[in-house]
Amino acid sequence: MGVSATALERILDGLAELQRTPGRDYTAFGVRGVRFGYHWPRTETVGLKQTLSEQAALVAERPDVFEVQFTMGGFGWVVVHLPRIDVDEVEELVYEAWRLSAPAELAAEHPFVR
């Protein structure tokens, strides 16, 4: 269990039209100008866009892995502690965050495949 920064990068590299924007302490991720995630290497965390119901379910189910980050525009963002989660689950969460931000036609062209 646990997801390294290298494994996270491999997951992100598989997303269509990924945009990376480096900041001082983090890297932001988006698709066609819409943000869906942030990675903070120092804290080994990633913030991901989710639905409000998914945000609530994740945090309620495993508060040691997930935290509420914020809500905005009808979405609930979660902080994911990468050392406490497996790569398959992070892959699904990252894809879902991307899908929630990508235009419908782009998401339809790139369904989740494991």
Side-chain angles (χ1 to χ4, degrees):
M1 184 178 274
V3 176
S4 67
T6 303
L8 178 63
E9 287 298 320
R10 278 195 300 266
I11 292 167
L12 291 163
D13 287 343
L15 299 173
E17 298 189 33
L18 177 72
Q19 300 165 319
R20 287 181 170 87
T21 306
R24 193 183 84 165
D25 298 321
Y26 64 88
T27 300
F29 307 105
V31 57
R32 294 196 185 171
V34 180
R35 293 263 196 270
F36 68 84
Y38 298 86
H39 177 225
W40 293 273
R42 185 181 57 76
T43 59
E44 298 181 283
T45 58
V46 63
L48 295 170
K49 185 183 207 177
Q50 298 294 304
T51 64
L52 291 170
S53 60
E54 186 68 11
Q55 176 198 49
L58 290 168
V59 173
E61 181 180 301
R62 290 187 289 163
D64 60 317
V65 177
F66 303 103
E67 305 172 27
V68 170
Q69 187 174 22
F70 60 89
T71 59
M72 181 173 65
F75 294 99
W77 289 68
V78 294
V79 173
V80 182
H81 293 270
L82 294 172
R84 301 177 193 157
I85 192 168
D86 67 45
V87 71
D88 290 341
E89 190 171 9
V90 169
E91 185 177 31
E92 288 180 35
L93 292 168
V94 167
Y95 177 81
E96 182 63 13
W98 174 88
R99 187 192 66 76
L100 290 169
S101 302
E105 71 277 356
L106 183 62
E109 291 170 12
H110 300 278
F112 182 72
V113 179
R114 178 158 306 176

